[in-house]
Amino acid sequence: MPKKAKVVVHPAFEIGEISPRLYSAFLEPIGNMVDGSMYNPKHPTADSKGLRHDFIDAVKKSGIPAVRLPGGNFVSGWDWKDSIGPVEKRKAHLDLAWHQYISNAVGHDEYLQWSELTGTEPLYTINLGTGDINDAIYCIEYTNHEGGTYWSDLRAEYGHKDPYNVKIWYLGNEMDGYWQIGSYKKDPRAYGVLANEVSKAMKWVDPRIETVACASCSPNMLHYPDWDKTVLEECYHTVDYISMHHYHSVLMNDIPTFVGASRYFEDYINTEAAMCDYLQAKLKSDKKIMFSFDEYATMMRPAGEVHYGRGEYLHYKAHYYADPNRKYIRHDPNDMPFRGPRGNDMLGALANASTLLCFIRHADRVKIGCMTGGLHVVASCDRDHVWQTASAHPYMQLMRYGRGTSLRTSVDCDTYDIPSYIVDDTNQYYEQEGVDYIDTAAAYDKESGEVNIFVINRNQDTSNDIELDVAGFEGLQFIEHIEMYTDDLSKANTYETPDAIVPVINPNAKFENGKLEANVKALSWNVFRFKM
């Protein structure tokens, strides 16, 4: 049996305010993410614009606060001006990023009006790949200006008199990526200058907005973090956030690494924070740059081929290769493939939740988090149905209970090590030592008086007794222990079996003299709720 884990949470040790945007999602028209899920004119619930209202209702019910859209790699070749006005007059294009046809039936206005219908804040990404500074100026003028100009009056003519008032604007997408159309991988200074000028001009159109500059889109990039530093030296004074992405790959069936992968996200955040704080001192600024972790996921993948001796060439080859047999795909929104049970549903819930706990522990810097699969966590769907995966439960509980001020958690528990490993040429990872089996974060909502402590047991073999010491709070009462786990990792929530994995109340916790005694099951998600 593991030793008893001890967690201390005290109101004096604050990290920072938790932004509601930390629990946001990401949307890009890849495959059926738009054509089929969001948009299907033939669906029984579709409105006059072809938007599925069963999907809209599920997203709205979930409480997701914001969605970054419309991409993604797609946006670096997309001209928003071709997607406005009467649908029959819009221009169809090839999407070079994902080798698909883009009809623009869902365009700039549809994305923003879908956000209005779902009650989510749109976090908008502009094209700085093939787009230029005028495209950015016209886009924000069309979107946010009240009227009296060509572009703002055109918005009214096309059916939306009031401004959309989009607050967050991303200055391109993954501009350091080899795969990006118009990539600035080889010239970070040029991108930094462009981001500075675009941010400045957009804020002259609407001084209420905040802008997000691209940093390295993954800590696996060979130029990280030098690329980031060079970019920010040029645009530090005019932008408000940096955009961070990471898709962490784990070899198939390596459960300890999968549920411990948030340690790599933590390292990424710490490095970016150190770099930004160095630049703040160097540039004599009183501004602290905040972080938008606006694409992230952890996934299991089979091992690929590994080649040695060619260094950076391997990264280029992986993304530049042009397959002569590859065809452009035209997605039929009414012909979505059936989605059967997904494997690793509980493990996916733990990996997603663990990454979010990492963000909460860095709430002083990470102010936006967009889960790449977030929409399909709360509204997984096929052509006919919508349901929630197991990941939806921790995700939505964090939206509800992970509010207020993030508090430090002091943890004493057993640990394990993750050895270094390689998945393929572009996914190679160093070792992690001393990974806590008990993964934690805490939120103190001073307005409601609630204190909520989130606990993941990463141990796949055994449960763990745990002591939560909250004696530093005066007058704190225990409300409940919510837990989610399964004895069968092959189970998955589907339309037919929506309750295969669900949270339940564990009545066995004991609370006395400011200390709570409980047991957390193997590979479980837990919420311990208290109230002043």
Side-chain angles (χ1 to χ4, degrees):
M1 286 289 293
K3 73 177 183 182
K4 185 178 187 178
K6 296 184 178 181
V7 180
V8 180
V9 181
H10 195 284
F13 297 104
E14 298 184 357
I15 296 172
E17 289 304 301
I18 301 170
S19 167
R21 292 179 180 141
L22 208 61
Y23 311 116
S24 302
F26 168 64
L27 177 65
E28 180 175 10
I30 305 173
N32 295 115
M33 286 180 70
V34 169
D35 284 335
S37 297
M38 174 184 174
Y39 170 81
N40 181 0
K42 296 181 180 179
H43 195 273
T45 68
D47 61 18
S48 60
K49 296 181 182 295
L51 301 177
R52 282 180 62 168
H53 274 253
D54 60 341
F55 189 73
I56 287 170
D57 292 343
V59 173
K60 187 173 185 177
K61 184 179 178 181
S62 74
I64 287 179
V67 177
R68 176 174 168 251
L69 47 75
N73 297 341
F74 152 82
V75 83
S76 288
W78 184 60
D79 190 337
W80 71 275
K81 298 186 294 296
D82 291 343
S83 77
I84 59 176
V87 174
E88 63 274 11
K89 294 184 178 180
R90 296 181 187 177
K91 298 177 182 177
H93 288 289
L94 296 177
D95 171 19
L96 306 187
W98 301 110
H99 252 67
Q100 58 188 348
Y101 292 93
I102 295 295
S103 69
N104 277 321
V106 176
H108 178 87
D109 287 289
E110 283 79 13
Y111 283 117
L112 296 180
Q113 290 169 26
W114 177 86
S115 295
E116 291 176 338
L117 291 169
T118 57
T120 59
E121 177 189 4
L123 313 174
Y124 196 91
T125 309
I126 64 171
N127 176 359
L128 284 187
T130 58
D132 60 23
I133 193 168
N134 271 335
D135 290 324
I137 293 170
Y138 300 155
C139 186
I140 190 170
E141 186 179 322
Y142 179 94
T143 306
N144 281 10
H145 196 65
E146 61 271 15
T149 68
Y150 171 80
W151 291 106
S152 59
D153 288 347
L154 192 62
R155 179 195 67 241
E157 180 183 331
Y158 289 158
H160 204 277
K161 182 179 183 298
D162 295 329
Y164 291 106
N165 293 321
V166 175
K167 180 72 178 294
I168 303 291
W169 293 80
Y170 291 85
L171 306 177
N173 176 77
E174 296 184 355
M175 298 305 295
D176 66 321
Y178 315 98
W179 52 88
Q180 207 66 218
I181 304 168
S183 171
Y184 282 84
K185 185 267 169 188
K186 289 182 175 293
D187 198 351
R189 182 180 180 277
Y191 169 70
V193 170
L194 177 63
N196 183 73
E197 295 304 313
V198 171
S199 179
K200 184 173 64 178
M202 292 180 75
K203 288 182 175 181
W204 283 341
V205 175
D206 185 350
R208 302 166 298 172
I209 69 166
E210 295 180 318
T211 55
V212 190
C214 294
S216 292
C217 56
S218 170
N220 291 346
M221 303 298 284
L222 296 178
H223 51 250
Y224 157 81
D226 288 344
W227 196 90
D228 312 42
K229 173 178 171 291
T230 303
V231 166
L232 272 180
E233 283 179 323
E234 302 300 332
C235 64
Y236 190 99
H237 299 303
T238 63
V239 302
D240 304 283
Y241 304 80
I242 54 173
S243 168
M244 300 164 64
H245 297 179
H246 184 49
Y247 294 95
H248 194 88
S249 296
V250 177
L251 292 167
M252 297 299 296
N253 302 316
D254 184 354
I255 293 175
T257 301
F258 190 72
V259 296
S262 62
R263 280 284 291 262
Y264 295 91
F265 289 83
E266 196 128 24
D267 289 349
Y268 187 15
I269 293 167
N270 287 333
T271 301
E272 292 292 330
M275 183 269 298
C276 287
D277 290 347
Y278 161 76
L279 286 175
Q280 181 182 3
K282 178 182 178 181
L283 299 173
K284 307 297 188 292
S285 175
D286 61 355
K287 177 172 66 177
K288 194 172 286 290
I289 292 288
M290 297 299 159
F291 300 164
S292 171
F293 222 118
D294 42 84
E295 287 186 38
Y296 68 91
T298 301
M299 62 200 80
M300 285 188 180
R301 296 174 53 195
E305 291 187 4
V306 179
H307 308 86
Y308 299 97
R310 297 193 183 272
E312 189 172 16
Y313 167 74
L314 298 173
H315 285 245
Y316 276 86
K317 184 179 180 182
H319 299 288
Y320 284 162
Y321 176 65
D323 183 353
N325 297 314
R326 188 175 183 182
K327 306 294 184 184
Y328 275 85
I329 299 171
R330 194 181 304 277
H331 297 285
D332 181 352
N334 197 44
D335 189 27
M336 286 183 70
F338 170 73
R339 287 185 176 173
R342 296 181 177 183
N344 301 322
D345 202 9
M346 182 67 205
L347 294 178
L350 294 178
N352 287 333
S354 183
T355 303
L356 283 168
L357 296 193
C358 168
F359 294 167
I360 292 172
R361 291 193 297 270
H362 292 273
D364 58 328
R365 297 305 286 265
V366 182
K367 296 299 182 182
I368 302 172
C370 300
M371 187 187 297
T372 294
L375 291 175
H376 283 243
V377 159
V378 301
S380 189
C381 63
D382 55 25
R383 187 186 66 180
D384 301 310
H385 306 114
V386 176
W387 65 94
Q388 293 179 341
T389 69
S391 290
H393 298 296
Y395 191 25
M396 292 165 62
Q397 286 169 357
L398 284 166
M399 294 177 206
R400 182 177 179 183
Y401 301 128
R403 294 181 174 273
T405 302
S406 174
L407 299 178
R408 299 192 184 279
T409 54
S410 174
V411 182
D412 179 23
C413 66
D414 285 339
T415 64
Y416 67 100
D417 298 334
I418 297 175
S420 60
Y421 67 99
I422 296 176
V423 177
D424 52 34
D425 288 328
T426 58
N427 291 280
Q428 304 184 26
Y429 301 96
Y430 51 84
E431 67 283 351
Q432 292 281 356
E433 296 179 350
V435 179
D436 288 336
Y437 275 114
I438 302 300
D439 185 21
T440 63
Y444 177 24
D445 188 338
K446 298 175 184 177
E447 185 174 334
S448 68
E450 286 199 10
V451 178
N452 296 304
I453 302 174
F454 311 102
V455 176
I456 294 171
N457 182 5
R458 290 170 166 149
N459 196 319
Q460 69 184 97
D461 298 318
T462 183
S463 64
N464 207 139
D465 289 333
I466 186 170
E467 175 188 279
L468 301 182
D469 185 342
V470 292
F473 294 86
E474 293 186 9
L476 201 62
Q477 295 181 336
F478 175 59
I479 300 175
E480 61 186 354
H481 170 198
I482 306 170
E483 68 177 5
M484 188 176 85
Y485 74 101
T486 178
D487 292 325
D488 181 0
L489 291 178
S490 67
K491 285 185 176 180
N493 290 1
T494 68
Y495 178 73
E496 290 78 14
T497 60
D499 298 326
I501 305 172
V502 295
V504 296
I505 302 298
N506 183 330
N508 299 319
K510 307 296 183 185
F511 185 59
E512 188 176 3
N513 298 324
K515 293 184 179 181
L516 182 138
E517 303 280 341
N519 181 270
V520 290
K521 293 182 171 62
L523 294 178
S524 65
W525 162 256
N526 303 268
V527 183
F528 295 93
R529 300 186 57 227
F530 303 84
K531 188 175 178 65
M532 303 296 288

